[in-house]
Structures are given as structure tokens and as C-alpha cells.
Amino acid sequence: MPKEWFRMKLKKASIYLLGFVSMCIIFSACYYMSYLHALNEFNKRAIERKDELYALMEKAEPTPSVPHEVENTVPVNVPQETIVLPTTKYTLEIYDMKKDTLLTEELNPPAEFVGLTREEIEQYLADYMNDMTLSEYNKGLISYELISFSEDEIVMKKTYNEDFVPFRFYVVVKDGYVVVYNSDLKSVYSYTHIEAKELPEEDRIKLSAGIYVNSVEELYALLESYSS
């Protein structure tokens, strides 16, 4: 009895296994057939699209060629304006009228000059003279001019004369104390500890209007007279 029962169970298991394997084979075959059909349809449509693309390309008109960067071209006969280049030779002449001496220096062009035209250089020099530094004023700068201008070299000349400096210092009373200004009348050269109320009336009157001094020696002599 147990053997018969075991045989029946084994037979049923074999039938189930055989059925499962058969079903897997059937499903695999169906999937493979579907894949081949889909692949065939894809290739067929790809060939049709390729033929359509070739047909459109044959009908399309050729695109006219456009000159490259036409807007940036420069006519050959139009001269370009000369500017200062980093390679331009820069010569600076310094003439001292009082001593009658001329010093010539050959330098690299200053960064602020590079890229400027002749007219722009001349405007720069005019602005420099109209708003010169205090040191240039005290040295007696009377002119700054452009001697020659080309792409290869620019030559400039500074002319000085100390005798043309009207004054170097300006002495006046501020907040009750004697203060020394530079010749620009803006920057302070020295704050002194001299109180105006301790000075004679004549000195206070002069200081109220301001005293112009031409040299350091004259300035020190004036301040010493106030302290004595």
C-alpha cells in the first residue's frame, strides 16, 4: 500500500513537472516569435524612413554660402588710426630752464598711454597740467608736451623752472593755532602748536589774511620768529 501511494505521488509530480516545462517552452517560443516579428517591422520602417529622408534631401535647395564674419571685415584702402602699443618706444625729455639742462630717458610706455591715439594723448597732457600733483607744482612744472607720435615711438617733454613757482607754503590761523598748508591750499604741511593769541597783534593781522612762503628755509625762519 505505501509503495502504491508513493508511485502515485511520483507520477503526479512527474506530470506537473512535465506540464511546467512544456508551458515554459511554449511561452519562450511565443516570445521569440513576437521578438522576430517586432524586429522585422522595425527594420522595415527604418528602411522606409531612410528612403523618405533621401527623397527630401534630393528635393531640398542648396543653402547659399554666407561670407564668414562679413561685419568685421575692414576695407583694404581704409587706414587704421595709429595708437600707442605695448611695444612702442617711449622717450621722455626733462628740461630744467633754470639750470639749462636736458635729461633724456627711454622707458616702456606707461600703462595709461597704451591704446591711446594722438588726440587722446594730447588731452591727457592737458588734463595733467590742469590738475598737476603737488610735487610737480613745487618742482615748477610749466609745460608737458607731445614732441612726436608714431606707432614705433612717442617723445614727450616736461619743462621745469623753480623760479616760476609763486609760493610753496601758505601760513594761516585755524582753530586758534598756526597751520602751514602746501601750495595747493588744501593739504596740510604742518600743524604747529603756536597759539595765535600769544602772538603780537601785527602778526595776527598778517596771519588772518594768510602768508605766502617760497621756501622751507623761509618757512622755518617765520615759525621760529613766532616761537621766540
Side-chain angles (χ1 to χ4, degrees), residues 71-114:
E71 65 278 4
N72 293 330
T73 57
V74 178
V76 177
N77 296 328
V78 178
Q80 296 185 1
E81 194 167 13
T82 303
I83 62 173
V84 179
L85 302 175
T87 56
T88 301
K89 181 181 177 182
Y90 171 60
T91 301
L92 177 62
E93 298 179 352
I94 301 177
Y95 178 58
D96 190 327
M97 293 182 65
K98 186 175 181 179
K99 300 177 181 178
D100 194 21
T101 58
L102 179 65
L103 175 65
T104 302
E105 297 179 343
E106 294 183 359
L107 309 166
N108 293 324
E112 59 268 24
F113 289 171
V114 176

Side-chain angles (χ1 to χ4, degrees), residues 14-48:
S14 299
I15 293 172
Y16 289 148
L17 180 60
L18 182 61
F20 177 76
V21 173
S22 300
M23 292 294 293
C24 289
I25 293 173
I26 293 172
F27 281 128
S28 298
C30 293
Y31 175 79
Y32 181 69
M33 293 299 293
S34 299
Y35 169 76
L36 291 178
H37 178 73
L39 181 61
N40 185 48
E41 289 293 325
F42 176 80
N43 292 334
K44 182 179 178 182
R45 291 181 181 179
I47 293 173
E48 293 176 353

Side-chain angles (χ1 to χ4, degrees), residues 168-169 189 213-223:
R168 295 181 181 277
F169 305 104
Y189 176 79
V213 181
N214 294 322
S215 66
V216 175
E217 293 76 12
E218 184 181 346
L219 173 65
Y220 287 163
L222 178 65
L223 297 179

Side-chain angles (χ1 to χ4, degrees), residues 117-135:
T117 63
R118 183 188 188 95
E119 291 73 18
E120 290 170 334
I121 290 288
E122 291 175 343
Q123 183 60 50
Y124 174 90
L125 300 181
D127 294 339
Y128 189 92
M129 290 300 300
N130 291 332
D131 190 22
M132 72 176 65
T133 62
L134 179 62
S135 62

Side-chain angles (χ1 to χ4, degrees), residues 148-200:
S148 65
F149 181 91
S150 70
E151 186 177 291
D152 298 324
E153 181 183 15
I154 56 174
V155 180
M156 296 184 182
K157 183 178 181 181
K158 284 184 175 182
T159 302
Y160 295 92
N161 191 334
E162 291 184 352
D163 293 339
F164 283 18
V165 180
F167 64 92
R168 295 181 181 277
F169 305 104
Y170 178 70
V171 186
V172 70
V173 174
K174 183 178 180 181
D175 298 329
Y177 290 89
V178 177
V179 178
V180 182
Y181 284 89
N182 287 302
S183 54
D184 59 359
L185 305 181
K186 298 177 182 179
S187 57
V188 175
Y189 176 79
S190 174
Y191 289 101
T192 72
H193 298 286
I194 303 173
E195 292 186 86
K197 66 180 181 180
E198 301 296 332
L199 299 177

